[in-house]
Amino acid sequence: MTQITKLAQTVSERAKADPSESWTAKLIAKGPEKCAEKFGEEAVEAIIAAVKNNREELICESADVLFHLLVMLEARGVTLAEVEAELARREGTSGIAEKAAR
C-alpha cells in the first residue's frame, strides 16, 4: 500500500470523527467549498516555493497539497481509486492528444 493510499484511508476515517478532535473532520464540517479553498491556498504556497526554488519548502507544501486534495475529494465523495482509474485510463496517451479529446 502506498503512502498516499494510507493517507486517503486516514482522511476517510477521520472525516467521520468529532470536528473538535480532528483537523480533517473540522474541514469537512465546514463544507466542500472550504475544503476547496484550503486546497487552493496550499497549491499557491507550493507554487511560491517552486518559483523561489526552495526545495525543502516545496516538499513540505506538496505534502500539504496532497493532504488537502484528499480532504477536498472526500468532501465531494470522490475516492482516490476513482482518480487512479482516470489516470490509468489516460496512461499511454500523450498530453496533447488527451487535451484534444476533451
Side-chain angles (χ1 to χ4, degrees), residues 72-90:
M72 181 178 66
L73 294 173
E74 179 73 24
R76 286 294 186 198
V78 175
T79 67
L80 179 59
E82 290 172 302
V83 175
E84 289 174 328
E86 177 60 15
L87 288 170
R89 184 189 70 77
R90 294 180 185 186

Side-chain angles (χ1 to χ4, degrees), residues 43-62:
V44 168
E45 290 173 6
I47 291 165
I48 291 168
V51 168
K52 289 181 175 179
N53 196 24
N54 186 327
R55 187 175 193 282
E56 291 304 314
E57 190 175 334
L58 179 57
I59 291 168
C60 291
E61 294 301 339
S62 295

Side-chain angles (χ1 to χ4, degrees), residues 1 5 10 12 16 19 24 32 36-37 40 53 59 61 63 89 99:
M1 179 181 305
T5 301
T10 300
S12 183
K16 300 170 189 84
T24 302
E37 178 184 325
N53 196 24
I59 291 168
E61 294 301 339
R89 184 189 70 77
K99 282 197 173 267

Side-chain angles (χ1 to χ4, degrees), residues 7 42 46 57-69:
L7 181 58
E42 297 299 339
E57 190 175 334
L58 179 57
I59 291 168
C60 291
E61 294 301 339
S62 295
D64 289 347
V65 166
L66 291 173
F67 169 76
H68 286 91
L69 172 62

